[in-house]
Amino acid sequence: MTEPTVSALSGLKVLDLSRFIAGPHCAMLLGDLGADVVKVERTKAGDDTRSLGPYIAEESIYFMMFNRNKRSLTLNFRNPEAQDLLRRLVLEADVLVENFRPGTMEKMGCGWDDLHQLNPKLIMARLSGFGQNNSMSAEPCFDGIAQAITGFMDLTGDPKGSPMMAGTFLIDYATALHATVGILAALNHRNKTGEGQVVDVSLIGGAASMLMTAIPEFLVNGRCMTRGGNRDRYAAPANTFQAKDGVWLHMIAGNNAHFPRFARMIGQPELLEDPRFDTLEGRMTNVEAIEAVAAEWIAQHTADEVLAALRRAELPSARIRTIEEVANDPYMREARHIIDVVHPKAGVVPMQGPPVGLGTTPSTVRRPPPMLGEHSDEVLRQWLDMPEGDMRRLRDATII
Amino acid sequence: MTEPTVSALSGLKVLDLSRFIAGPHCAMLLGDLGADVVKVERTKAGDDTRSLGPYIAEESIYFMMFNRNKRSLTLNFRNPEAQDLLRRLVLEADVLVENFRPGTMEKMGCGWDDLHQLNPKLIMARLSGFGQNNSMSAEPCFDGIAQAITGFMDLTGDPKGSPMMAGTFLIDYATALHATVGILAALNHRNKTGEGQVVDVSLIGGAASMLMTAIPEFLVNGRCMTRGGNRDRYAAPANTFQAKDGVWLHMIAGNNAHFPRFARMIGQPELLEDPRFDTLEGRMTNVEAIEAVAAEWIAQHTADEVLAALRRAELPSARIRTIEEVANDPYMREARHIIDVVHPKAGVVPMQGPPVGLGTTPSTVRRPPPMLGEHSDEVLRQWLDMPEGDMRRLRDATII
């Protein structure tokens, strides 16, 4: 937890009003890049994830994963004086991030028109399930719903089994990233014009954007993509196979650069002359046959033997690892994919490092996830120059 | 395909040397936001995805999905004169995107040190499997390998079945987004200092960053997260259920705000007094029991009935839709999650729209995916003021 001379977003003031994952992850990425992020949480309970397990020393791991590099200030959002206070904070902010149900900010007198008039340089990032202004905007949505509604679940899983969710909330993460891209693009525009704008991203739009070729394949070619296990949709052989010792491994040897190396690796160069397999299209048509060849060879060797051979042939491959194996891999520390964050109550918390690597202004972790309201006074003093007496009154009136 | 007065990244010149998904998607996002993106492709074959099916009128859908809003220029990367030409283009560029195996750009005399010296304002985004400078950098990696090696596959799928891949190349998409965030953050820094920098993102780092609570849960609490089907890891009941008519639907009714509405919806308010279910922790401990209650009620009603009831109770829910249902949903067009792009050979290609919504400077699609080398002359003329004779000579020598 060190601070370099300068960060990419040094001096950028961010108000993070968001809860759960997509909004908080977006604001955390800005924090990782050096922004001054103030998380504005409802009084008493704070972000919903503070009361979601699992815990370390009564601190929610879930909350900690999405809220490092932030300070916490509490506001009783339903109180008009708190809403005034929020607007005063907006006057000082560069960016506001929110993921309430569309319409909520408007009810608080903090819709885009209000805030833009108040602070024309403000960039307001709005993350929602379906987007701000359309026929579906009012519907509630979580990651799993987005996976179900956009066809993602139907694309995932064994063809003989039921539709599957991806193992983590990937659509939330992607939406966080789309919002961050939008904020930074808007910042570039503001650097030229002085004017802020609204960023409007949605779980459904984010999920749809990651459907590969599915939409045109159906609408033009009439082919409805569905789940196919771990088989690659565009090259063969590329799939998960089981070695002689029962270990699962994933191998990609299907494109035209890979396949000759694969055929020689398994000692069957004659496959390259086989009219079923000598083109990528042939291998896609005869995918069961070519994967049977691969499976047979792999089943005759241990995972270590197979992986060593694949490595020599420079074919992408990996053992399917458990989280235990991942967490204990020294490379994960070496590359800073896992770092230690020291939390005042939870102690040393190893967590995933910032995913955006920058050469001159690296991402850093400068603050542990905050306790609820830990920085209310500090932020009100720094941002608004508020006297102690006023803070005491606000606290007594449960406005902060 | 209209151009607004101004885009967020108007005037930004991007050289996209990348292939497959992560790099091209990053450069396409910059193009969607208004940048002038020149895709630099190897002569003859171009991007590998140009020869990957499926096709529309012999044009690869795969290629089209990641390369709209770009012009195409060909270069014979192995030729020293082509490498010179590349360096001349770099002199004019703001951003370069590449996802070769680490070391490749260096072999071409176009490593970071070379290019930074040549053009100190250049931002160079490097996307790779494992990152540029560590013990694993030389290893080949594709999305499926990243899913296997980081535990993602072990987290996805039925607990009784084998590890599963997510239905599309989500790690590639995420890495594209991390690179885009890095480029735009570096651009903000450059706006202040005039200096470019290197952006170094990896599939493994990107995948690791999306593992939710898995790493600290294992390293601190010793609990190894693994796959659990579609059951939510943090709240209950929240899972996929089958209605009376056999239809699969996903429902999220597990957190403390949701559960009382759910209990009343199914006419069992007594669940709220049941010590097994009256807290979130209780429901997580007794997840089989509470999901059995949900499953029983849902199995007694058709999907339409269940979804109507869930909607009235404002509980997030959705039918698990096929790609056909998604592609034909009018909302997808209304919200511009699906748009039409007109391609000179493939005709009207419906594809996913830009996922980053901006109020004042909206993302736009101004160009269809380019034909190989379609804009070589145009770009060399515009960027380098190259005379026609020189271009002819370069083409005759198969340098472009």
Side-chain angles (χ1 to χ4, degrees):
Chain A
M1 289 201 255
T2 55
E3 176 135 33
T5 318
V6 73
S7 293
L9 302 182
S10 284
L12 193 77
K13 286 171 146 178
V14 178
L15 287 176
D16 172 19
L17 273 67
S18 66
R19 308 86 30 80
F20 291 107
I21 303 178
H25 190 62
C26 162
M28 187 174 83
L29 288 164
L30 298 174
D32 287 355
L33 291 162
D36 175 15
V37 183
V38 173
K39 186 174 177 81
V40 185
E41 300 183 74
R42 58 185 171 157
T43 43
K44 296 199 180 116
D47 188 325
D48 304 73
T49 58
R50 286 191 182 270
S51 54
L52 290 180
Y55 299 92
I56 299 172
E58 293 180 352
E59 295 298 310
S60 161
I61 300 178
Y62 197 145
F63 177 83
M64 289 196 276
M65 297 313 293
F66 300 104
N67 292 289
R68 69 183 173 214
N69 281 331
K70 299 181 188 178
R71 296 188 285 177
S72 169
L73 171 149
T74 48
L75 275 190
N76 178 357
F77 287 113
R78 288 165 198 258
N79 179 296
E81 204 178 332
Q83 295 168 1
D84 274 341
L85 202 51
L86 178 57
R87 283 186 291 268
R88 286 176 63 194
L89 290 165
V90 164
L91 273 172
E92 307 300 316
D94 296 291
V95 176
L96 182 147
V97 178
E98 65 96 6
N99 65 352
F100 291 110
R101 197 95 74 84
T104 308
M105 290 295 286
E106 282 72 8
K107 277 185 207 143
M108 288 160 54
C110 295
W112 167 244
D113 291 339
D114 303 308
L115 299 187
H116 180 57
Q117 197 168 5
L118 205 60
N119 176 2
K121 76 181 186 6
L122 182 76
I123 295 162
M124 183 181 190
R126 319 193 71 170
L127 299 85
S128 63
F130 294 87
Q132 294 295 319
N133 294 301
N134 58 58
S135 58
M136 293 289 286
S137 292
E139 299 300 316
C141 192
F142 277 54
D143 176 291
I145 304 305
Q147 291 197 36
I149 226 169
T150 57
F152 246 103
M153 282 177 61
D154 195 62
L155 294 182
T156 304
D158 193 295
K160 291 178 212 117
S162 63
M164 279 287 148
M165 256 172 66
T168 74
F169 296 134
L170 286 164
I171 309 302
D172 277 328
Y173 282 105
T175 306
L177 286 158
H178 291 134
T180 310
V181 168
I183 290 166
L184 295 176
L187 188 61
N188 185 65
H189 181 68
R190 196 187 80 171
N191 282 337
K192 292 184 196 165
T193 63
E195 207 189 4
Q197 61 182 304
V198 69
V199 177
D200 175 4
V201 300
S202 68
L203 296 180
I204 304 300
S209 77
M210 304 192 293
L211 287 173
M212 293 289 299
T213 58
I215 299 296
E217 266 199 87
F218 176 74
L219 288 174
V220 181
N221 291 353
R223 180 177 163 267
C224 189
M225 200 189 269
T226 185
R227 58 194 169 282
N230 296 352
R231 175 174 289 168
D232 194 282
R233 299 180 193 281
Y234 307 99
N239 206 337
T240 297
F241 298 93
Q242 205 163 12
K244 191 180 175 183
D245 46 3
V247 172
W248 291 104
L249 52 90
H250 195 75
M251 174 192 83
I252 295 173
N255 73 32
N256 287 332
H258 291 149
F259 187 65
R261 299 207 293 270
F262 174 76
R264 284 188 286 269
M265 180 192 99
I266 64 169
Q268 299 184 40
E270 66 275 13
L271 294 173
L272 301 173
E273 313 295 323
D274 191 318
R276 292 174 302 165
F277 307 137
D278 63 350
T279 63
L280 175 55
E281 268 149 48
R283 293 193 298 282
M284 291 302 283
T285 307
N286 300 290
V287 58
E288 303 277 356
I290 192 61
E291 286 191 354
V293 171
E296 191 188 345
W297 189 86
I298 291 169
Q300 288 164 7
H301 300 81
T302 65
D304 283 345
E305 290 166 356
V306 175
L307 290 166
L310 286 164
R311 203 177 167 193
R312 278 193 301 273
E314 297 201 5
L315 291 168
S317 58
R319 187 186 299 269
I320 295 178
R321 302 202 296 186
T322 62
I323 289 297
E324 175 169 0
E325 290 167 316
V326 178
N328 287 328
D329 178 357
Y331 158 76
M332 296 299 282
R333 293 275 185 177
E334 178 199 354
R336 296 185 56 76
H337 302 327
I338 299 178
I339 58 168
D340 286 332
V341 173
V342 181
H343 185 278
K345 279 185 71 184
V348 176
V349 181
M351 58 168 71
Q352 294 96 297
V356 179
L358 288 176
T360 309
T361 58
S363 296
T364 54
V365 178
R366 302 172 309 285
R367 291 178 180 279
M371 308 300 288
L372 180 61
E374 184 182 347
H375 308 93
S376 293
D377 289 8
E378 184 182 302
V379 172
L380 293 174
R381 202 181 301 120
Q382 285 179 7
W383 283 36
L384 303 183
D385 222 356
M386 187 181 281
E388 301 291 328
D390 288 14
M391 293 188 225
R392 214 171 310 122
R393 189 185 62 76
L394 291 171
R395 183 161 290 110
D396 290 346
T398 62
I399 288 165
I400 62 170
Chain B
M1 290 201 253
T2 55
E3 177 136 33
T5 319
V6 73
S7 293
L9 303 182
S10 284
L12 193 78
K13 285 172 147 177
V14 178
L15 286 175
D16 172 19
L17 273 68
S18 66
R19 309 87 28 80
F20 290 106
I21 304 179
H25 190 63
C26 162
M28 187 175 83
L29 287 165
L30 298 175
D32 286 355
L33 291 162
D36 175 16
V37 183
V38 173
K39 185 173 178 84
V40 185
E41 301 183 74
R42 59 186 169 154
T43 42
K44 293 199 181 115
D47 188 326
D48 303 73
T49 58
R50 285 191 183 271
S51 54
L52 290 180
Y55 299 92
I56 299 172
E58 293 180 353
E59 295 298 311
S60 161
I61 301 178
Y62 197 145
F63 177 82
M64 289 196 275
M65 297 313 293
F66 299 104
N67 292 289
R68 68 183 174 214
N69 281 333
K70 300 181 188 178
R71 295 188 286 178
S72 169
L73 172 149
T74 48
L75 274 190
N76 179 357
F77 287 113
R78 288 163 198 260
N79 180 295
E81 204 177 332
Q83 295 168 1
D84 275 342
L85 201 52
L86 178 57
R87 284 185 291 268
R88 286 177 62 194
L89 290 165
V90 164
L91 273 171
E92 306 300 316
D94 296 291
V95 176
L96 183 148
V97 178
E98 65 96 5
N99 64 353
F100 291 112
R101 196 95 75 85
T104 308
M105 289 294 287
E106 282 74 7
K107 276 183 210 146
M108 288 160 55
C110 295
W112 166 244
D113 291 340
D114 303 308
L115 299 188
H116 180 57
Q117 198 168 6
L118 205 59
N119 175 4
K121 76 180 186 5
L122 183 75
I123 295 164
M124 182 181 191
R126 318 193 72 170
L127 299 84
S128 63
F130 295 86
Q132 294 295 319
N133 294 299
N134 58 58
S135 58
M136 293 288 285
S137 292
E139 299 299 316
C141 191
F142 278 56
D143 176 290
I145 304 306
Q147 291 197 36
I149 226 169
T150 57
F152 246 104
M153 280 177 61
D154 196 61
L155 294 181
T156 303
D158 194 295
K160 292 177 211 116
S162 63
M164 279 287 148
M165 257 173 65
T168 74
F169 297 135
L170 287 164
I171 310 301
D172 278 329
Y173 282 105
T175 306
L177 286 159
H178 291 133
T180 311
V181 168
I183 290 166
L184 296 177
L187 187 61
N188 185 63
H189 181 68
R190 195 187 82 170
N191 282 336
K192 292 182 197 167
T193 63
E195 206 190 4
Q197 61 182 305
V198 70
V199 177
D200 174 4
V201 300
S202 68
L203 296 180
I204 305 299
S209 77
M210 303 191 294
L211 288 174
M212 293 290 299
T213 57
I215 300 298
E217 264 199 88
F218 175 73
L219 288 173
V220 181
N221 291 351
R223 182 178 163 266
C224 189
M225 201 189 266
T226 184
R227 57 196 169 282
N230 295 352
R231 175 174 287 168
D232 195 282
R233 298 181 195 279
Y234 306 99
N239 205 337
T240 297
F241 298 91
Q242 206 163 11
K244 189 180 175 182
D245 46 2
V247 173
W248 291 104
L249 53 90
H250 196 75
M251 173 192 84
I252 295 173
N255 72 31
N256 288 332
H258 290 148
F259 186 65
R261 298 207 293 269
F262 175 76
R264 282 189 286 269
M265 180 194 98
I266 64 169
Q268 299 184 39
E270 66 275 14
L271 294 172
L272 302 173
E273 313 295 323
D274 190 320
R276 293 174 300 165
F277 307 138
D278 62 349
T279 64
L280 174 56
E281 270 149 48
R283 293 192 297 281
M284 292 302 284
T285 308
N286 300 290
V287 59
E288 303 278 356
I290 193 61
E291 287 191 353
V293 171
E296 191 188 345
W297 188 86
I298 291 169
Q300 288 164 9
H301 299 81
T302 65
D304 283 346
E305 290 165 356
V306 175
L307 289 166
L310 286 164
R311 204 176 167 195
R312 278 193 302 273
E314 296 199 7
L315 291 168
S317 58
R319 187 185 300 267
I320 295 178
R321 301 203 296 186
T322 62
I323 289 297
E324 175 169 0
E325 291 167 316
V326 177
N328 288 327
D329 178 357
Y331 158 76
M332 298 298 283
R333 294 276 185 176
E334 178 199 354
R336 294 184 57 76
H337 302 326
I338 300 179
I339 58 169
D340 287 333
V341 173
V342 181
H343 186 278
K345 278 185 69 185
V348 176
V349 181
M351 59 168 69
Q352 295 95 297
V356 179
L358 288 176
T360 310
T361 59
S363 295
T364 53
V365 178
R366 302 171 310 283
R367 291 178 179 281
M371 307 301 288
L372 180 61
E374 184 182 347
H375 308 92
S376 294
D377 289 7
E378 183 181 304
V379 171
L380 293 174
R381 200 180 304 119
Q382 285 178 8
W383 284 36
L384 303 183
D385 222 356
M386 187 180 280
E388 300 292 328
D390 288 13
M391 294 189 224
R392 214 173 309 123
R393 189 186 61 78
L394 291 171
R395 182 161 290 111
D396 289 347
T398 63
I399 289 165
I400 61 171

